[in-house]
Amino acid sequence: MDISSHDVLIIGGGGAGLRAAIAVAEVNPRLNVAVISKVYPMRSHTVSAEGGAAAVIKTGDTLDDHAYDTISGGDWLCDQDAVEAFVQEAPEELLRLEHWGCPWSRDPDGHIAVRAFGGMKKERTWFAADKTGFHMLHTLFQTTLKYTAIARYDEWFVTKLLVDDNRVQGVVAIEIMSGKIQAITAKAVILCTGGCGRVFPFTTNANIKNGDGMALAYRAGAPLKDMEFVQYHPTGLPFTGILITEAARAEGGYMLNKDGYRYLQDYNLGTPQPKPVLRSMELGPRDRLCQAFVKEMEKGRTIKGPYGDVVHLDVRHLGEKLINTKLPFVRELCLKYQNIDPVKELIPVRPVVHYMMGGVSTNIHGATPLAGLYAAGEVACVSINGANRLGSNSLPELLVFGARAGRAAAEFASTQKESNGIILSQALDETKRVEAQFLEKTGGRERIATLREEMQKAMENGAGIYRTHSSLAEAAAKLRELQERFPSITLDDRSRTFNTELTAAVELGFMLDVGEAIVQSALHRTESRGAHQRTDYPKRDDEKFLAHTLIYRNADGSTHGDYLPVTITRWPPGERVYGQPAQAAQAKGG
């Protein structure tokens, strides 16, 4: 078996991974750092982020305002020490990107331009037209090229973490081009693999986002945290799930039901106001907008379509000049994927799964409970997002906690010795498992696509925008059935070169594990909070559930759970009232 070694190995080449790699190189240039990614880094999903990145920069905005918006928007499940660190460091990180060459949009006077975003009381979202993630990822990737210590494994797929003496010491990975299976040892490993939206049928997430990193950590013994909190975005295209950015509403777009009525005014999300608007109803928190859609559907006020019910997003009144200047990608997506021109026509949209608030449990330095293992970005739960992430907080989170994880991993790796030979036997066992279970197996009856479709349907029906005990229990039973059927899958492609069927099979195994963690976590949280809405338990219950859910995978494949208290520093839990000023809420004790 081929073996290579590095001091720090980063799994994932998106925004968090590249920022972590730069941080390692800055902290200790003598360390050998590698980034392994199943796609070329510029194909990472960070490139799809459109609307912007939140950070305080304008007069009249404060760090406390940003912190309070984040905490109240997260329904008080955020760890407030992490949020305070986040809002403090976010402006520094975005300015650093500016110095590295990120082309932020500008006001006429040359200052950084900001726009309103959902759940934010102040305009604080930096943007680069509506291709913010694209430009951020380009900037980070180009910056990594100047560090000779950063090596890359492009189009390699990690299947297992190697653990010995309760410490992660490397990975087993497949080179997709050749099919070669190899061990890569490391003194520290950072997971930056993104979320798991493909566990659901309708999602803004790319096909690469299957919960790989979450499942790798879960199988290695690290807990997953707050997995029941799944964010739906209110404006996805109905067939593809492609995101129509919140920036379309930030610039003044309207949400209309089948009668052409701005229905959000009926749901305590603000009042209709002309542009410019900071707190219009269209910029309510994402969880509440998605819940309002369901209520409209129940009232028969949505529009029936071939891919489910939809409502309309109307940006026609913004005019062609503004759309081409600030929303060019929205127009491009609508023309290419819906054959409509938003300058002249309404955009059909529906809620689609967008983001995981939960992930691998970490502290504010990105360290997991498993020594040598770190995580940052959507794969991690630090937790700054609580029960509902505010739009435009995810991109600065990549930077802040990617950098923190990189620094912490570099310091840890500097104190460790080379891994011993014991983990190589694990690597050989993993090689044999992959070959026997997938490449050499004959006589299997199950198809990958069939199991995946059944899993996605079970997740949508059982753990969607609204949940009940019975719906979750039914989903849990279905997932157990699929886990039992999974070993019987068969592959048509037994080749080694670019065997995408093999990677799809491994990914399906990861998704089944992650889906189970979502459903089991949701079953045991008998309250409604943020994106977790139980119709059989409609109230928030701070007495029992002001706590993070931790879920562990046992050696026999079963699960067990625990709870971790939420860190409260300055903002005691209060009623989540959208648009309430931070100062007034604090004066009330909330």
Side-chain angles (χ1 to χ4, degrees), residues 69-75 117-121 231-235 246 249 255 264 267-270 278-293 357 385 387-391 530-531 576-580:
D69 286 351
T70 299
I71 292 161
S72 61
D75 223 347
F117 238 69
M120 304 274 188
K121 291 188 296 295
Q231 181 169 88
Y232 281 71
H233 196 291
T235 56
E246 199 158 298
R249 287 173 282 128
M255 298 290 289
L264 291 171
Y267 295 94
N268 193 29
L269 293 169
L278 289 185
R279 286 179 279 175
S280 76
M281 55 198 173
E282 276 84 10
L283 288 181
R286 289 172 177 175
D287 57 341
R288 294 195 172 173
L289 264 64
C290 292
Q291 292 154 24
F293 173 91
M357 272 69 77
N385 296 312
N388 172 66
R389 177 177 68 80
L390 293 191
R576 187 180 174 210
V577 179
Y578 180 63
Q580 184 179 18

Side-chain angles (χ1 to χ4, degrees), residues 200 230 232 459-467 471-472 531-533:
F200 291 81
V230 180
Y232 281 71
M459 293 299 296
E460 182 76 12
N461 292 339
I465 294 173
Y466 285 100
R467 299 111 179 247
S471 75
L472 290 164
H532 174 68
Q533 292 293 308

Side-chain angles (χ1 to χ4, degrees), residues 375-388:
E378 191 178 354
V379 69
C381 181
V382 59
S383 153
I384 68 161
N385 296 312
N388 172 66

Side-chain angles (χ1 to χ4, degrees), residues 12 16 37 47 92 116 145 228 235 241 250 253 267 273 286 313 331 373 395 403-404 441 452 469 474 480 524 537:
S37 174
V47 78
E92 301 166 11
L145 298 179
E228 62 268 45
T235 56
Y267 295 94
Q273 299 174 45
R286 289 172 177 175
L313 174 62
R331 191 178 190 187
L373 182 65
L395 289 178
R404 280 177 164 252
K441 185 173 184 176
R452 185 172 57 221
H469 176 85
E474 187 175 334
R480 283 194 295 270
H524 291 94
Y537 295 94

